[in-house]
PDB file of all heavy atoms in Angstrom:
ATOM      1  N   PRO A  98     -86.473 -78.776 -94.775  1.00 93.00           N
ATOM      2  CA  PRO A  98     -86.647 -77.496 -94.094  1.00 93.00           C
ATOM      3  C   PRO A  98     -88.044 -77.093 -93.720  1.00 93.00           C
ATOM      4  O   PRO A  98     -88.225 -76.542 -92.693  1.00 93.00           O
ATOM      5  CB  PRO A  98     -86.006 -76.453 -95.104  1.00 93.00           C
ATOM      6  CG  PRO A  98     -85.219 -77.263 -96.050  1.00 93.00           C
ATOM      7  CD  PRO A  98     -85.738 -78.625 -96.062  1.00 93.00           C
ATOM      8  N   GLU A  99     -89.033 -77.498 -94.556  1.00 93.00           N
ATOM      9  CA  GLU A  99     -90.392 -77.029 -94.291  1.00 93.00           C
ATOM     10  C   GLU A  99     -91.128 -78.061 -93.306  1.00 93.00           C
ATOM     11  O   GLU A  99     -92.266 -77.818 -92.951  1.00 93.00           O
ATOM     12  CB  GLU A  99     -91.213 -76.928 -95.541  1.00 93.00           C
ATOM     13  CG  GLU A  99     -91.407 -78.178 -96.360  1.00 93.00           C
ATOM     14  CD  GLU A  99     -90.242 -78.474 -97.349  1.00 93.00           C
ATOM     15  OE1 GLU A  99     -89.137 -77.935 -97.151  1.00 93.00           O
ATOM     16  OE2 GLU A  99     -90.454 -79.315 -98.283  1.00 93.00           O
ATOM     17  N   ASP A 100     -90.444 -79.187 -92.995  1.00 95.00           N
ATOM     18  CA  ASP A 100     -91.167 -80.244 -92.264  1.00 95.00           C
ATOM     19  C   ASP A 100     -90.884 -80.191 -90.769  1.00 95.00           C
ATOM     20  O   ASP A 100     -89.876 -79.670 -90.310  1.00 95.00           O
ATOM     21  CB  ASP A 100     -90.714 -81.601 -92.803  1.00 95.00           C
ATOM     22  CG  ASP A 100     -91.389 -82.007 -94.095  1.00 95.00           C
ATOM     23  OD1 ASP A 100     -92.396 -81.305 -94.460  1.00 95.00           O
ATOM     24  OD2 ASP A 100     -90.875 -82.861 -94.773  1.00 95.00           O
ATOM     25  N   ARG A 101     -91.818 -80.806 -90.012  1.00 94.00           N
ATOM     26  CA  ARG A 101     -91.590 -80.972 -88.561  1.00 94.00           C
ATOM     27  C   ARG A 101     -90.676 -82.209 -88.383  1.00 94.00           C
ATOM     28  O   ARG A 101     -90.571 -83.117 -89.268  1.00 94.00           O
ATOM     29  CB  ARG A 101     -92.906 -81.289 -87.843  1.00 94.00           C
ATOM     30  CG  ARG A 101     -93.761 -80.089 -87.681  1.00 94.00           C
ATOM     31  CD  ARG A 101     -94.938 -80.373 -86.702  1.00 94.00           C
ATOM     32  NE  ARG A 101     -95.818 -81.388 -87.182  1.00 94.00           N
ATOM     33  CZ  ARG A 101     -96.553 -82.199 -86.324  1.00 94.00           C
ATOM     34  NH1 ARG A 101     -96.374 -82.157 -85.048  1.00 94.00           N
ATOM     35  NH2 ARG A 101     -97.416 -83.064 -86.902  1.00 94.00           N
ATOM     36  N   ASP A 102     -90.013 -82.288 -87.213  1.00 94.00           N
ATOM     37  CA  ASP A 102     -89.183 -83.432 -86.819  1.00 94.00           C
ATOM     38  C   ASP A 102     -90.112 -84.679 -86.739  1.00 94.00           C
ATOM     39  O   ASP A 102     -91.057 -84.700 -85.907  1.00 94.00           O
ATOM     40  CB  ASP A 102     -88.504 -83.158 -85.516  1.00 94.00           C
ATOM     41  CG  ASP A 102     -87.590 -84.271 -85.054  1.00 94.00           C
ATOM     42  OD1 ASP A 102     -87.783 -85.442 -85.397  1.00 94.00           O
ATOM     43  OD2 ASP A 102     -86.634 -83.923 -84.261  1.00 94.00           O
ATOM     44  N   LEU A 103     -89.928 -85.672 -87.569  1.00 96.00           N
ATOM     45  CA  LEU A 103     -90.878 -86.788 -87.567  1.00 96.00           C
ATOM     46  C   LEU A 103     -90.900 -87.491 -86.277  1.00 96.00           C
ATOM     47  O   LEU A 103     -91.987 -88.000 -85.848  1.00 96.00           O
ATOM     48  CB  LEU A 103     -90.392 -87.808 -88.701  1.00 96.00           C
ATOM     49  CG  LEU A 103     -91.291 -89.030 -88.909  1.00 96.00           C
ATOM     50  CD1 LEU A 103     -92.762 -88.614 -89.285  1.00 96.00           C
ATOM     51  CD2 LEU A 103     -90.761 -89.903 -90.051  1.00 96.00           C
ATOM     52  N   ASN A 104     -89.786 -87.554 -85.481  1.00 95.00           N
ATOM     53  CA  ASN A 104     -89.874 -88.265 -84.225  1.00 95.00           C
ATOM     54  C   ASN A 104     -90.424 -87.389 -83.110  1.00 95.00           C
ATOM     55  O   ASN A 104     -90.166 -87.606 -81.968  1.00 95.00           O
ATOM     56  CB  ASN A 104     -88.516 -88.774 -83.856  1.00 95.00           C
ATOM     57  CG  ASN A 104     -88.578 -90.019 -82.987  1.00 95.00           C
ATOM     58  OD1 ASN A 104     -89.641 -90.753 -82.968  1.00 95.00           O
ATOM     59  ND2 ASN A 104     -87.546 -90.274 -82.197  1.00 95.00           N
ATOM     60  N   ARG A 105     -91.138 -86.338 -83.489  1.00 93.00           N
ATOM     61  CA  ARG A 105     -91.897 -85.510 -82.526  1.00 93.00           C
ATOM     62  C   ARG A 105     -93.434 -85.544 -82.973  1.00 93.00           C
ATOM     63  O   ARG A 105     -94.177 -84.792 -82.416  1.00 93.00           O
ATOM     64  CB  ARG A 105     -91.407 -84.101 -82.441  1.00 93.00           C
ATOM     65  CG  ARG A 105     -89.968 -83.917 -82.030  1.00 93.00           C
ATOM     66  CD  ARG A 105     -89.778 -84.180 -80.593  1.00 93.00           C
ATOM     67  NE  ARG A 105     -88.352 -84.055 -80.179  1.00 93.00           N
ATOM     68  CZ  ARG A 105     -87.433 -85.021 -80.216  1.00 93.00           C
ATOM     69  NH1 ARG A 105     -87.829 -86.244 -80.548  1.00 93.00           N
ATOM     70  NH2 ARG A 105     -86.183 -84.806 -79.818  1.00 93.00           N
ATOM     71  N   CYS A 106     -93.666 -86.402 -83.949  1.00 95.00           N
ATOM     72  CA  CYS A 106     -95.032 -86.324 -84.588  1.00 95.00           C
ATOM     73  C   CYS A 106     -95.917 -87.528 -84.261  1.00 95.00           C
ATOM     74  O   CYS A 106     -96.979 -87.694 -84.798  1.00 95.00           O
ATOM     75  CB  CYS A 106     -94.911 -86.225 -86.102  1.00 95.00           C
ATOM     76  SG  CYS A 106     -94.146 -84.708 -86.680  1.00 95.00           S
ATOM     77  N   PHE A 107     -95.443 -88.385 -83.311  1.00 94.00           N
ATOM     78  CA  PHE A 107     -96.187 -89.632 -83.069  1.00 94.00           C
ATOM     79  C   PHE A 107     -97.314 -89.415 -82.038  1.00 94.00           C
ATOM     80  O   PHE A 107     -97.432 -90.195 -81.078  1.00 94.00           O
ATOM     81  CB  PHE A 107     -95.240 -90.770 -82.659  1.00 94.00           C
ATOM     82  CG  PHE A 107     -94.471 -91.278 -83.832  1.00 94.00           C
ATOM     83  CD1 PHE A 107     -93.238 -90.750 -84.087  1.00 94.00           C
ATOM     84  CD2 PHE A 107     -94.976 -92.226 -84.680  1.00 94.00           C
ATOM     85  CE1 PHE A 107     -92.454 -91.194 -85.192  1.00 94.00           C
ATOM     86  CE2 PHE A 107     -94.272 -92.702 -85.810  1.00 94.00           C
ATOM     87  CZ  PHE A 107     -93.012 -92.124 -86.029  1.00 94.00           C
ATOM     88  N   ARG A 108     -97.962 -88.361 -82.100  1.00 93.00           N
ATOM     89  CA  ARG A 108     -99.179 -88.071 -81.277  1.00 93.00           C
ATOM     90  C   ARG A 108    -100.017 -87.084 -81.991  1.00 93.00           C
ATOM     91  O   ARG A 108     -99.490 -86.293 -82.826  1.00 93.00           O
ATOM     92  CB  ARG A 108     -98.747 -87.523 -79.917  1.00 93.00           C
ATOM     93  CG  ARG A 108     -97.963 -86.191 -80.026  1.00 93.00           C
ATOM     94  CD  ARG A 108     -97.582 -85.607 -78.751  1.00 93.00           C
ATOM     95  NE  ARG A 108     -96.694 -84.533 -78.905  1.00 93.00           N
ATOM     96  CZ  ARG A 108     -95.941 -83.907 -77.980  1.00 93.00           C
ATOM     97  NH1 ARG A 108     -95.946 -84.398 -76.785  1.00 93.00           N
ATOM     98  NH2 ARG A 108     -95.070 -82.946 -78.300  1.00 93.00           N
ATOM     99  N   PRO A 109    -101.313 -87.088 -81.750  1.00 93.00           N
ATOM    100  CA  PRO A 109    -102.199 -86.152 -82.439  1.00 93.00           C
ATOM    101  C   PRO A 109    -101.847 -84.717 -82.135  1.00 93.00           C
ATOM    102  O   PRO A 109    -101.278 -84.465 -81.058  1.00 93.00           O
ATOM    103  CB  PRO A 109    -103.575 -86.500 -81.892  1.00 93.00           C
ATOM    104  CG  PRO A 109    -103.463 -87.812 -81.212  1.00 93.00           C
ATOM    105  CD  PRO A 109    -102.046 -87.914 -80.793  1.00 93.00           C
TER     106      PRO A 109
END
Side-chain angles (χ1 to χ4, degrees):
E99 65 275 18
D100 282 345
R101 286 194 293 151
D102 182 334
L103 183 57
N104 207 24
R105 300 287 179 268
C106 294
F107 288 93
R108 61 178 169 195

